[in-house]
Amino acid sequence: MTIQLGVLMDPIAAIHLKKDSTFAMLLAAQDRGWSIQYFEQGDLSLVSGEPYARVRRISLFRDDQRWFEFTGEQTIALEQLDALLMRKDPPFDMEYIHTTYILEQAEARGVLVVNRPQALRDANEKMFTSWFPQCTPPTLVTRRHSELREFLDRERDIILKPLGGMGGESVFRVSATDPNINVIMETLTNLERRFIMAQRFLPEIQKGDKRVLLIDGEPIPYALARLAAPGETRANLAAGGRGEGVPLSARDRWICDQVGPTLQRRGILFAGLDIIGDYLTEINVTSPTCIRELDAIYGLDIGGQFLDAVASKLQIKQQ
C-alpha cells in the first residue's frame, strides 16, 4: 500500500532550491512512490477536536525553473495520513505552538508526526543545550542586565542572542569595552522583559560552525563547516557564510553520543547540532538544513536515509 505522506512547510514556490532540505526529503519520498500531500500553516483547522487540512497533491521535478506542480486540492482529516513532516521554519511564536497542538491531535489518531509536536515545544533550540552542560561553553540565560554584565566581565568576549531566532538573526558579539552594550542588552531583552542567551565567544569559529545532522539519534559521518564571510562573526549560511564538508571529529562523535539517546527518547527523528570547536552551541529540531550541501559534496542521500527511518518507524507502529 502506498504511504500517504503529509508535509507542512513554508511556501514551496519561495524555497532556495539548491539548499532546501525539505525538498530533498520530498524527492526521496517521491522516488519511493509515496503520495505527498502539501499544506501550509494556514491550511490547518481543528473541528470539534478533529484535525483537518486543505491539502494539495504535489509532484516534484529536478528542474531549477519548474520544481513542483500541484495536481489537485481537497480537505482531509489528518488521520488519513501515515506520516506527517513538520518542516515549518521559525519564528517559534504562538502560532507555531498552536500548530503543534493541532498536529498533536493527528499524532493521537495514529499519524507519525516528525518531529514530535511535544518535542518541538519542549526542545527550544538554544535552551535545549542546557540538558548537556558537559558539551557546552559557559552559558547564561537571563533577563537581568546586571547578570549579563557580570558574565561579560568574567568572560570578556561573549555572544548574545535571542532564544527564538534562526539563521543568525539578532546575534551580537560583545566585548567588555563595547560602547553599545547597554543598547544591545536593552533591545534583546526588551528592557528586561525577555530572556536571552549569553555564551562565551569561541575563537574556533574561524574554522567553522559545524552543522552535524542526526537521524534517529545517529550522526551522518560528515558535517558542514559554515565559515563566516569576511568581517562577519556569524557563520550561518543565511548570514552570508559558506559551507565546507568535514568528517566528524572524535569530539563531534562524543557530543552526538551524549545528545543522541535523548533525541531518540523524545521522538526527534531529525536534528542538527551546531558545534564550534569542542562545544555544542545549539540543537536544531524545527527544520534543520544542510542536507543538500552534504549530499552534493559527498554523494550522499541523506533525504533517503531519513525516509528509511520514517518507514522503519511506520513498520514498528503497524506491528
Side-chain angles (χ1 to χ4, degrees):
M1 185 173 65
T2 300
I3 291 176
Q4 300 294 322
L5 177 70
V7 58
L8 193 168
M9 60 184 290
D10 291 303
I12 193 169
I15 65 174
H16 192 314
L17 196 62
K18 292 183 179 180
K19 296 184 177 182
D20 196 88
S21 290
T22 305
F23 189 74
M25 294 174 177
L26 297 182
L27 281 175
Q30 182 171 271
D31 290 344
R32 284 158 173 74
W34 296 11
S35 176
I36 306 170
Q37 304 291 343
Y38 164 97
F39 55 102
E40 299 171 17
Q41 207 167 11
D43 294 318
L44 288 168
S45 58
L46 195 63
V47 182
S48 299
E50 293 280 346
Y52 290 86
R54 180 181 68 95
V55 302
R56 284 163 282 182
R57 178 80 178 270
I58 191 169
S59 297
L60 307 168
F61 311 100
R62 291 174 169 85
D63 184 333
D64 291 348
Q65 303 301 316
R66 176 177 175 265
W67 58 88
F68 74 96
E69 179 182 63
F70 294 132
T71 57
E73 177 182 317
Q74 60 179 325
T75 297
I76 66 169
L78 290 183
E79 66 182 85
Q80 296 178 29
L81 301 172
D82 297 304
L84 192 162
L85 307 183
M86 172 49 165
R87 292 288 300 176
K88 173 72 179 67
D89 283 342
F92 191 88
D93 53 15
M94 285 307 301
E95 284 301 294
Y96 198 106
I97 291 174
H98 294 155
T99 298
T100 67
Y101 291 144
I102 297 175
L103 298 185
E104 204 163 32
Q105 290 288 0
E107 183 182 50
R109 287 160 175 78
V111 181
L112 176 66
V113 181
V114 180
N115 289 318
R116 286 198 69 195
Q118 181 177 343
L120 292 173
R121 293 195 299 271
D122 290 349
N124 175 273
E125 299 188 326
K126 309 304 193 286
M127 292 186 68
F128 193 30
T129 59
S130 67
W131 290 94
F132 312 97
Q134 72 275 25
C135 302
T136 63
T139 301
L140 169 69
V141 175
T142 186
R143 295 178 173 187
R144 297 176 60 190
H145 294 174
S146 60
E147 292 186 346
L148 290 168
R149 282 192 168 278
E150 290 173 5
F151 187 79
L152 177 57
D153 288 342
R154 184 167 63 252
E155 299 296 337
R156 308 303 295 171
D157 195 354
I158 65 174
I159 294 292
L160 297 177
K161 53 188 173 182
L163 296 176
M166 64 171 286
E169 178 183 1
S170 299
V171 174
F172 292 87
R173 179 184 176 185
V174 181
S175 67
T177 58
D178 195 318
N180 297 308
I181 180 60
N182 286 332
V183 69
I184 291 172
M185 291 191 302
E186 290 167 4
T187 301
L188 288 180
T189 67
N190 191 21
L191 300 176
E192 298 191 322
R193 289 191 289 265
R194 184 166 53 216
F195 288 104
I196 67 169
M197 175 174 280
Q199 286 181 328
R200 173 191 290 170
F201 173 73
L202 300 172
E204 295 90 340
I205 187 68
Q206 295 178 353
K207 296 181 180 179
D209 180 353
K210 287 181 285 189
R211 167 60 56 84
V212 180
L213 298 178
L214 290 89
I215 297 174
D216 200 18
E218 295 295 327
I220 301 300
Y222 302 97
L224 191 73
R226 296 162 296 176
L227 302 166
E232 175 64 77
T233 297
R234 302 166 300 171
N236 308 75
L237 299 182
R242 61 182 177 85
E244 292 183 358
V246 295
L248 298 193
S249 68
R251 174 70 177 187
D252 296 336
R253 291 182 180 276
W254 179 82
I255 291 173
C256 292
D257 288 342
Q258 301 297 301
V259 177
T262 300
L263 297 177
Q264 286 181 313
R265 187 168 61 252
R266 289 176 177 255
I268 300 172
L269 196 62
F270 189 69
L273 309 187
D274 289 348
I275 298 175
I276 300 174
D278 288 338
Y279 296 103
L280 173 69
T281 60
E282 293 187 16
I283 303 173
N284 297 271
V285 302
T286 51
S287 54
T289 60
C290 296
I291 285 180
R292 304 211 80 189
E293 293 89 341
L294 288 171
D295 280 356
I297 294 169
Y298 292 107
L300 303 175
D301 180 18
I302 299 172
Q305 290 179 248
F306 170 69
L307 265 294
D308 289 344
V310 171
S312 178
K313 295 293 183 184
L314 289 174
Q315 288 178 348
I316 293 172
K317 286 172 63 69
Q318 293 167 1
Q319 290 176 355

